[in-house]
Amino acid sequence: MSDWMVEMGTFLIQATLLMAMVGIVLALVLRNKESGDNSLKLSVESLNDQRRSRGRRLRVTTTEQGARKKLVKAFRQEEKAKHKAAKQGKGEAQSAQKVWVLDFHGDLKASQTEQFAQEVSAIIDVAAAEDEVVVRLESAGGLVHAYGLAAAQLDRLQAAGLTTTVCIDKVAASGGYMMACTANHIKAAPFAVIGSIGVVAQVPNIHRLLKRNDIDVELLTAGKYKRTLTVLGENTEEGREKFIDDLENTHRLFKEYVSQHRPDMDIDALATGEIWYGSEALEQKLTDSIGTSEAYLVERMAQAQVYSVKLEPPKTFSRKVGLAVSAGVEQAVVKGLGLIDAAGWQRR
C-alpha cells in the first residue's frame, strides 16, 4: 500500500506541476496577443426568470412523454401573453418593486471592495425609493481599514434611502459583522457564525535569535511612536503598552460604529471578541431573523422583481484557460487528498 501511495503521490505532483507550467505559458502568450477593453462588465440577471425557467424544465422533464408538447406549448403561450402585457404597460414587471442582490465574499484584505463599490453606485443610480438591496455576505474579517471602507459602501445605500437586508449563510465575523451591522435587517442561517467584535494583532520577534548570532539591527525613526513593536529589533515595555493602547482605541471605534447602527445591542457585553451561531445571535440581538438567503429571495420573488447585479471581468480566452487550469489543479489536489484518505481508511 505504501508503494502505491508513493507512486500515486509522485504522479499527482508531476501532473499538477505540468498543468501549472502549461497554464502559465499559455496565459503569457495569450496576454500578449489579446487587446481591447478589459474593464469590468455589468451582469444583470432576473432571478424570477431563472427560477421560472428551472421550474418549467423540471415540470417538462418529469411529465409523461406524450404530454410534454402540450405543456411546452402552454409555456410559450404564457410567455407571449406576458410580453404583450408588458408592452401595453399592464405587466407585473412594469410596476413591481425591485430587489437588487449583491454578493460580497471577503478575504483578509477585503479585495472585492472596489468592485462592490461600483456595484453599489450602479444600483444607487437606478433604484427607486421603495426598492430593497439584499447583500449575500460571507466574511470572517480582516484588515481594519479595508473592512471600514467596505462597510462604508453599505452606509452609502442607507444614505441613498434604500432599505438594505444582509443575509449571512456561513459567516460574518469581525470586519464581516462591521459590514452586516449597517443593514436595516440582518438574516442569518441557524449555524452561521456571527460576531467577533474585537481586534487582534500579532507580531513575531526574532531579536534574540539575531543577538545569539551576533547580528545587529538598527531601527531609526523620527517620531516617538513611529514603531512600537518590531520584528527584528528589541521591543520595550513602553512600546508594548502603546501598541495595546492603539488596539484598545481601534476596539473602541469598532464598538461605537456597531452601537450607532444597532443601538438595542448590549455592546459592552457582546464586544468581547466572542462568536455566536445564528440562533444564539438572534437572542443577543446581533441579528433580526433566522433563515437562509435562498429562502428569503424565493419569498421576495413572490412580491417583487429580483435582480442579481454583478461586475465581472470580460470572458477572454486567456481567462478561460487560466480558470480551467486552476480548476484542474484544484481537482488534482482534492483527488489526491481523497486517495490518501481512502488508503488510510483501508488500513484501519
Side-chain angles (χ1 to χ4, degrees), residues 174-175 178 196-199 250-258:
S174 195
M178 179 187 288
S196 189
I197 305 172
V199 185
T250 304
H251 191 210
R252 176 184 62 80
L253 294 173
F254 191 178
K255 289 165 61 177
E256 289 177 358
Y257 186 81
V258 175

Side-chain angles (χ1 to χ4, degrees), residues 12 16 19 322-338:
L12 288 172
T16 301
M19 292 177 67
L323 290 173
V325 171
S326 176
V329 172
E330 182 178 354
Q331 288 175 6
V333 172
V334 171
K335 186 175 181 180
L337 291 173

Side-chain angles (χ1 to χ4, degrees), residues 62-126:
T62 55
T63 299
E64 293 183 4
Q65 189 72 31
R68 288 182 182 177
K69 286 186 177 181
K70 185 177 180 180
L71 185 59
V72 171
K73 185 178 180 180
F75 287 153
R76 288 174 178 170
Q77 290 176 343
E78 184 181 328
E79 283 298 309
K80 287 181 180 179
K82 178 184 173 183
H83 290 312
K84 184 177 180 180
K87 286 181 179 179
Q88 296 174 351
K90 300 177 182 178
E92 179 185 12
Q94 298 294 324
S95 57
Q97 177 195 21
K98 293 180 178 65
V99 176
W100 308 95
V101 183
L102 298 175
D103 291 289
F104 189 93
H105 296 277
D107 55 16
L108 182 65
K109 297 181 179 180
S111 305
Q112 193 185 333
T113 301
E114 183 177 353
Q115 173 186 328
F116 186 68
Q118 294 179 44
E119 292 167 349
V120 167
S121 295
I123 289 174
I124 289 175
D125 287 343
V126 300

Side-chain angles (χ1 to χ4, degrees), residues 6-304:
V6 170
E7 291 178 2
M8 181 58 69
T10 302
F11 169 76
L12 288 172
I13 292 172
Q14 290 174 344
T16 301
L17 290 173
L18 179 62
M19 292 177 67
M21 290 174 64
V22 171
I24 292 170
V25 171
L26 284 174
L28 290 173
V29 172
L30 292 170
R31 183 178 180 182
N32 290 331
K33 288 185 176 181
E34 287 182 345
S35 59
D37 183 13
N38 289 322
S39 61
L40 298 175
K41 306 295 183 183
L42 184 64
S43 171
V44 182
E45 182 179 14
S46 170
L47 298 187
N48 300 67
D49 291 345
Q50 181 193 82
R51 184 164 180 255
R52 186 184 302 111
S53 176
R54 289 174 177 173
R56 287 175 175 177
R57 184 173 180 181
L58 282 173
R59 287 180 61 186
V60 170
T61 303
T62 55
T63 299
E64 293 183 4
Q65 189 72 31
R68 288 182 182 177
K69 286 186 177 181
K70 185 177 180 180
L71 185 59
V72 171
K73 185 178 180 180
F75 287 153
R76 288 174 178 170
Q77 290 176 343
E78 184 181 328
E79 283 298 309
K80 287 181 180 179
K82 178 184 173 183
H83 290 312
K84 184 177 180 180
K87 286 181 179 179
Q88 296 174 351
K90 300 177 182 178
E92 179 185 12
Q94 298 294 324
S95 57
Q97 177 195 21
K98 293 180 178 65
V99 176
W100 308 95
V101 183
L102 298 175
D103 291 289
F104 189 93
H105 296 277
D107 55 16
L108 182 65
K109 297 181 179 180
S111 305
Q112 193 185 333
T113 301
E114 183 177 353
Q115 173 186 328
F116 186 68
Q118 294 179 44
E119 292 167 349
V120 167
S121 295
I123 289 174
I124 289 175
D125 287 343
V126 300
E130 66 273 11
D131 289 352
E132 177 186 5
V133 180
V134 175
V135 179
R136 294 182 290 200
L137 174 64
E138 181 180 336
S139 176
L143 299 178
V144 174
H145 62 280
Y147 276 91
L149 180 59
Q153 308 310 320
L154 286 162
D155 280 331
R156 291 175 58 208
L157 292 170
Q158 292 278 27
L162 296 173
T163 300
T164 57
T165 300
V166 165
C167 292
I168 307 164
D169 288 329
K170 295 181 181 179
V171 57
S174 195
Y177 189 74
M178 179 187 288
M179 294 180 67
C181 76
T182 64
N184 297 103
H185 189 95
I186 303 176
K187 181 177 288 290
F191 284 91
V193 176
I194 312 294
S196 189
I197 305 172
V199 185
V200 62
Q202 58 183 358
V203 182
N205 184 269
I206 59 172
H207 173 71
R208 287 182 295 177
L209 175 63
L210 297 175
K211 189 175 181 179
R212 282 199 301 269
N213 290 276
D214 296 325
I215 300 173
D216 294 326
V217 176
E218 292 189 10
L219 178 64
L220 307 177
T221 64
K224 184 177 181 180
Y225 295 120
K226 182 62 178 178
R227 284 290 180 272
T228 51
L229 296 184
T230 73
V231 176
L232 304 178
E234 183 176 5
N235 291 322
T236 65
E237 193 59 37
E238 182 183 13
R240 291 188 187 92
E241 291 176 358
K242 175 57 178 173
F243 194 86
I244 292 172
D245 285 344
D246 291 341
L247 287 182
E248 291 290 348
N249 183 56
T250 304
H251 191 210
R252 176 184 62 80
L253 294 173
F254 191 178
K255 289 165 61 177
E256 289 177 358
Y257 186 81
V258 175
S259 293
Q260 289 171 5
H261 290 86
R262 297 189 67 84
D264 293 337
M265 283 175 50
D266 185 350
I267 191 63
D268 289 326
L270 297 175
T272 58
E274 297 173 85
I275 60 98
W276 289 265
Y277 291 110
S279 54
E280 299 172 326
L282 179 62
E283 296 173 1
Q284 299 292 342
K285 298 183 180 180
L286 286 155
T287 62
D288 300 298
S289 63
I290 297 296
T292 66
S293 62
E294 179 66 16
Y296 181 66
L297 291 177
V298 168
E299 177 187 328
R300 296 298 286 123
M301 285 178 212
Q303 307 157 344

